[in-house]
Amino acid sequence: MAPQTAAVWPYDTYHDLRWLYVYHDSWPAFFAWLLVMVVARAVFHTGLGVLAWPKHMRRPTVWWLLRRSLGLAVLVALLVAPWALISVAASVVALSWVLLASLLPMVLLAPFLQRAAVIGPWWRGLPSAPLVGWSLLNFVVLTVAGALSWAVPGWWTVLVAAVAGILNGLLWNRSVHSALLAPTTRWPRVPAAPIAAVLALAVPVVGSVVNAKTGEGLGIDVVMLDEPMPAGSDHAVIVLAGYGSSYGGERPPDDRVEVFSYRGLAPDGQPLPYDREDTRISVADSVRLLSRQVDRLHRRTDRKVALIGESEGAMVARTYLQQSAHPAVDTLAMFSPLINAGRAYYPPPNEKQGFGVATGWQLRQAFRLMNMIGVSNGDADQPFFRSLIDNAPFYRNQLLCPVPGVRTVAFLPTTTAAEAPPGEYSDIPVIQMLGVHGTLLDRAQLQDRLIALLSDDPLPATERRGEYALLSWLGSAWQTPPLAIAANPAWAGFRQPDPAFTGKACLPAR
């Protein structure tokens, strides 16, 4: 993230706000550092504007530029704040489409904001083609520089950041020149910048719809519930669907397969139908329901039990194995688990202090607004989200670690690469497959791996895709900084190394 420190608007403010949202620990600290951020940005932009001003053009006074930069620093902070907030939410739930929804508005607004400090009615008319080109090049430079900052060892990061700073200076120079020499080319009387800001507000809505549609494809429930179990398998299976799923009570064709119910079991032992809202319960409640269902299924079939979980279901199954696993459970397949979830924190609403206290308050207001306009009916403090936040050290460090006596495999779609900073977070076989969260595209490959797993064949070796590592590096520049586990009193009971600093999980306790 370091190269974004000297970037042009809005990427620099996006950088500052993400740090502020994660690392403030009280309301006074939030407002104090927000004030420092705004003033420092105004002074910095004024200096860069003076240095970049074309020599053949008359420059306004420094005081004029400072006043304008100060007002714009406040405006840009207000415009960028919702997207920085969504970026923090992405680091809590570890979903790439949420991160993308926070980043696309920055790309959309950048050409408008980059001319704001140097021309008068900057909000009218479309920005010139050169200004759009320089802003897109700045995004590319920041992405590549961020990837290199993660890739190089030790102090080489400082050199990468220094080179990125030089490139940022050149881009500042070109952006100021483009804004002054060609203030606008089309629609000079149209309030294009406010229209762009309104369009940016629609990005998360479109993203949620697209994610819902792509998630209707090939999921674990489709693969496991449509066909009988393989002939060579001696397992009974519980399929745990993901967040926002629903179940109408239909029985799978194979009597050895059951759907995990987020509502529990009927008196006859069959899983109860459930709605999307039922998946919002806490992981602890889901673990208790799963424990009863595993015990009931084992007694009914007298077979070993395999758990196959998708997204939230994978988190529930892995937590169950950590806390209260039945001895009959010997197999776990995790499909689209939430890698490195809980990298940020905000306290419950009744607490007035703690890391992310202002972040939590703002997220609650954002959910209320989305609920009012019918975009969502969620809650920033729903039990499932709080489970990820309150137990984040476990999910950040132990999710993809071996469980004694349990054969464990994780299936990761390619979009998972952008859901967490680069690192080695697994000590179990991981199969990287083409797809998005909750949807894999190669049904034959998925079925082959699951059949082998359920037939007690040797565990497959880790299978990597070439683009996975590249996407991980390129996405690293836009990740929210992870909150250090040792810094948060709410995580005081955790005594293992922090993957945010080691880049590795499953390390022994200190």
Side-chain angles (χ1 to χ4, degrees), residues 24 150 162 202 248 395:
H24 75 277
W150 275 97
Y395 297 119

Side-chain angles (χ1 to χ4, degrees), residues 31-54:
F31 285 115
W33 283 110
L34 180 62
L35 177 62
V36 170
M37 182 197 81
V38 168
V39 173
R41 281 296 166 199
V43 173
F44 186 59
H45 282 219
T46 299
L48 291 176
V50 170
L51 292 172
W53 205 275

Side-chain angles (χ1 to χ4, degrees), residues 91-164:
S91 72
V92 171
V93 296
L95 290 176
S96 56
W97 78 265
V98 180
L99 178 64
L100 186 64
S102 75
L103 185 56
L104 287 180
M106 300 298 99
V107 180
L108 177 64
L109 295 173
F112 297 94
L113 296 177
Q114 288 174 14
R115 62 180 180 170
V118 294
I119 66 172
W122 61 271
W123 47 273
R124 293 195 310 206
L126 295 177
S128 64
L131 196 58
V132 173
W134 289 120
S135 66
L136 290 175
L137 180 59
N138 190 220
F139 175 77
V140 173
V141 167
L142 294 175
T143 301
V144 174
L148 290 175
S149 295
W150 275 97
V152 299
W155 286 95
W156 284 98
T157 301
V158 178
L159 178 61
V160 172
V163 173

Side-chain angles (χ1 to χ4, degrees), residues 1 18-19 22 84 87-89 91 99 343-344 421 476 478-482:
M1 297 174 64
R18 284 178 292 164
W19 280 96
V22 172
S87 176
V88 175
S91 72
L99 178 64
R343 296 192 304 276
S476 62
W478 307 106
Q479 297 288 341
T480 294

Side-chain angles (χ1 to χ4, degrees), residues 138 340 353 372 374 397 487 500:
N138 190 220
N340 221 344
Q353 190 164 340
M372 287 175 57
N397 197 69

